[in-house]
Amino acid sequence: MAKSGRVQVKLRSTESHFMYVTTKNPRTTPQRIEQRKYDPHVQRHVLFRESK
């Protein structure tokens, strides 16, 4: 089995404590990820930032 090099990261909402878990390739994306995704707690799309 080959190593893929991808790591799991948590995307935490900026407006609530909701989290998504996704993967990223740290070689091609060394900076932290920011994405607009749906937050079911506030029932709208908000900014999610990568957390440790």
Side-chain angles (χ1 to χ4, degrees):
M1 183 177 255
K3 288 178 66 176
S4 65
R6 297 185 73 80
V7 295
Q8 276 194 337
V9 295
K10 296 177 193 172
L11 298 177
R12 188 173 300 272
S13 172
T14 56
E15 306 218 1
S16 71
H17 295 292
F18 189 75
M19 284 190 320
Y20 282 103
V21 176
T22 188
T23 61
K24 77 171 188 175
N25 184 340
R27 280 189 177 199
T28 59
T29 314
Q31 66 276 12
R32 291 191 177 209
I33 297 174
E34 288 187 353
Q35 291 182 339
R36 283 183 52 86
K37 295 178 79 63
Y38 183 75
D39 188 341
H41 289 268
V42 292
Q43 298 180 347
R44 60 190 174 103
H45 283 81
V46 297
L47 184 66
F48 281 75
R49 290 190 177 131
E50 179 181 339
S51 65
K52 289 249 177 181

